[in-house]
Amino acid sequence: MISTDTSMESVENVAMEVEEKAEMGNRLFSEVVNLKNGSLMVDDGSQANSSFVLNHPVTDVTSYEAYTKVVKSAENRTSKLKDKGFGDVVKERGRALLRSLFSFSFSFWKQNEEPVEDVRREAFLPLSREEETMVKRAFSASDPTILVAHENSNIDITGKILRCLKPGEWLNDEVINLYMVLLKEREAREPKKFLKCHFFNTFFFTKLVNSRTGYNYGAVRRWTSVKRLGYYLKDCDKIFIPIHKNIHWTLAVINIKDRKLQYLDSFKGREPKILDALARYFVDEVNDKSKVDLDVSGWRQEFVQDLPMQRNGYDCGIFMLKYIDFYSRGLDLCFTQEQMPYFRDRTAKEILQLKAE
């Protein structure tokens, strides 16, 4: 016959062991899983598609394995204690432990899932009737009528300029450049909600790489002074560069956050020379502004293939703008050709209100 003190000590030892291992499981859970900016980050740094995260219940394998290890390690000892009349004590401690684990897991996902869902929803907010009427009237304005003027960028949008957003039209520099300014202002209003980005205008790349003289960092050196921007480019998550090739708009991205250079073409074209020039530019920029010799030789060039494609000859510009919009939100490119008429009207609305949403 065992003494009561010895038996109770054994129970407490098992309970302490269970709780210690559960705490280890909680730490693993919080370290391995980090839902951030619309993507599920796992321990190898890869990202799961955010639409999968939102539409499918997620079971964390690591936390499950941690739990099963706890059960197995205590199983033999708890069974012996139960035989000796201490089953109710162990059972109650186990129930309390499970309640604690469930509460932790549920609260973690609840806190992180809702903001991501909100960001996705905001990317597709429908126009109100009043906004639709406003856009329709603006599209009918006379050519020289100034519909809106953005003071800081010195860009005026006339009736003629805005009509590039009507279905079937090619986007012009003024609309693209003003939209880029509005995206930066959106980030400044809500810095915790959007990635820290820099948005170059449509003239940057043609200044950097001239068809006659080639690469020339000096031509754009002053564009990014700290006095002018208020920050260093190297401190951004992503830098967006619109590329205009004859009659086709594409996008290049200096993705500092993921250490890669990306090229997005709604026809899935590839232009390695563009990414080579931008890699060289970023090295020169960091050296000039921060006096640091940056090595980007290990950065990957990515010609993004998993992206929405255009199925006509005029929507390349709006595709490019939405690539920028969604990437700056930290979202995957979860839209299609069928949504381009909506995005054209929405962009017109945001320009008329001088506010990207």
Side-chain angles (χ1 to χ4, degrees):
M1 180 175 180
I2 62 173
S3 68
T4 304
D5 291 341
T6 304
S7 302
M8 285 304 298
E9 184 179 353
S10 298
V11 172
E12 291 300 324
N13 287 340
V14 171
M16 286 176 64
E17 180 184 349
V18 169
E19 287 170 349
E20 286 174 1
K21 293 189 177 181
E23 179 61 27
M24 179 184 69
N26 282 355
R27 289 199 302 271
L28 283 171
F29 184 86
S30 61
E31 289 173 2
V32 174
V33 182
N34 176 27
L35 188 63
K36 181 179 181 183
N37 298 326
S39 297
L40 182 64
M41 302 301 297
V42 294
D43 59 348
D44 64 353
S46 62
Q47 292 185 332
N49 186 295
S50 61
S51 62
F52 179 86
V53 173
L54 292 172
N55 297 324
H56 296 75
V58 179
T59 302
D60 177 43
V61 176
T62 303
S63 62
Y64 175 76
E65 289 179 348
Y67 168 69
T68 57
K69 286 179 182 178
V70 169
V71 173
K72 288 178 181 179
S73 65
E75 194 174 51
N76 292 333
R77 294 173 66 185
T78 54
S79 63
K80 291 178 181 178
L81 288 168
K82 287 175 185 177
D83 291 340
K84 293 180 173 64
F86 294 95
D88 290 341
V89 177
V90 175
K91 188 182 295 183
E92 181 54 36
R93 296 298 290 269
R95 285 172 179 164
L97 172 62
L98 286 175
R99 284 196 296 269
S100 175
L101 283 172
F102 177 79
S103 176
F104 172 85
S105 302
F106 178 78
S107 62
F108 178 87
W109 288 110
K110 188 70 175 173
Q111 289 170 8
N112 288 280
E113 194 170 297
E114 288 179 349
V116 177
E117 195 169 359
D118 288 343
V119 171
R120 287 177 62 87
R121 189 183 303 112
E122 288 173 3
F124 297 97
L125 287 176
L127 275 67
S128 66
R129 286 188 178 181
E130 293 78 10
E131 290 167 342
E132 289 177 348
T133 300
M134 174 184 67
V135 170
K136 187 175 180 180
R137 287 177 178 171
F139 282 156
S140 300
S142 62
D143 284 359
T145 300
I146 296 178
L147 299 171
V148 67
H150 190 273
E151 186 176 347
N152 291 340
S153 66
N154 201 30
I155 298 175
D156 294 341
I157 302 296
T158 65
K160 182 178 181 179
I161 290 172
L162 188 73
R163 275 193 289 278
C164 76
L165 286 167
K166 293 184 69 175
E169 300 294 329
W170 291 342
L171 266 59
N172 54 45
D173 293 288
E174 292 89 346
V175 160
I176 292 173
N177 290 336
L178 179 53
Y179 188 71
M180 302 286 259
V181 172
L182 298 181
L183 290 181
K184 188 61 184 179
E185 291 179 350
R186 179 181 72 179
E187 175 199 312
R189 286 195 308 272
E190 300 181 86
K192 293 182 179 179
K193 194 172 184 179
F194 301 96
L195 296 182
K196 183 173 182 178
C197 302
H198 184 74
F199 307 86
F200 277 117
N201 66 30
T202 57
F203 307 116
F204 171 77
F205 192 76
T206 55
K207 284 282 188 181
L208 178 67
V209 181
N210 187 280
S211 58
R212 290 182 293 103
T213 59
Y215 176 87
N216 182 8
Y217 173 73
V220 295
R221 179 176 174 270
R222 296 191 204 177
W223 287 39
T224 53
S225 66
V226 178
K227 183 178 180 180
R228 182 175 182 177
L229 299 183
Y231 55 87
Y232 293 100
L233 287 192
K234 70 179 180 63
D235 295 328
C236 293
D237 293 313
K238 297 184 180 184
I239 301 170
F240 297 104
I241 305 99
I243 306 292
H244 192 237
K245 298 174 54 191
N246 299 320
I247 59 172
H248 185 54
W249 289 105
T250 63
L251 175 68
V253 184
I254 301 175
N255 187 335
I256 304 165
K257 185 172 182 285
D258 299 319
R259 296 173 60 84
K260 61 184 176 181
L261 297 118
Q262 297 171 286
Y263 187 73
L264 293 87
D265 182 347
S266 52
F267 282 147
K268 292 194 176 181
R270 293 170 176 256
E271 291 291 340
K273 289 183 178 179
I274 290 176
L275 297 188
D276 289 341
L278 289 175
R280 182 179 175 184
Y281 163 76
F282 193 52
V283 170
D284 288 343
E285 172 68 11
V286 172
N287 181 266
D288 180 66
K289 302 298 189 299
S290 303
K291 308 305 178 187
V292 173
D293 292 325
L294 181 68
D295 181 11
V296 297
S297 60
W299 288 33
R300 184 163 58 94
Q301 287 195 1
E302 179 185 12
F303 301 95
V304 181
Q305 298 297 297
D306 183 18
L307 81 177
M309 290 183 62
Q310 72 180 98
R311 297 200 297 271
N312 55 43
Y314 49 79
D315 272 335
C316 56
I318 198 70
F319 268 91
M320 180 191 70
L321 288 187
K322 300 323 289 183
Y323 294 157
I324 298 170
D325 176 26
F326 276 61
Y327 268 9
S328 67
R329 295 176 188 269
L331 294 177
D332 58 323
L333 304 176
C334 51
F335 56 87
T336 67
Q337 171 70 65
E338 285 69 30
Q339 290 158 322
M340 290 305 113
Y342 158 71
F343 284 135
R344 282 177 174 270
D345 285 349
R346 173 172 173 153
T347 304
K349 185 256 310 190
E350 291 177 327
I351 284 176
L352 291 168
Q353 295 181 340
L354 291 179
K355 183 179 180 181
E357 297 175 341

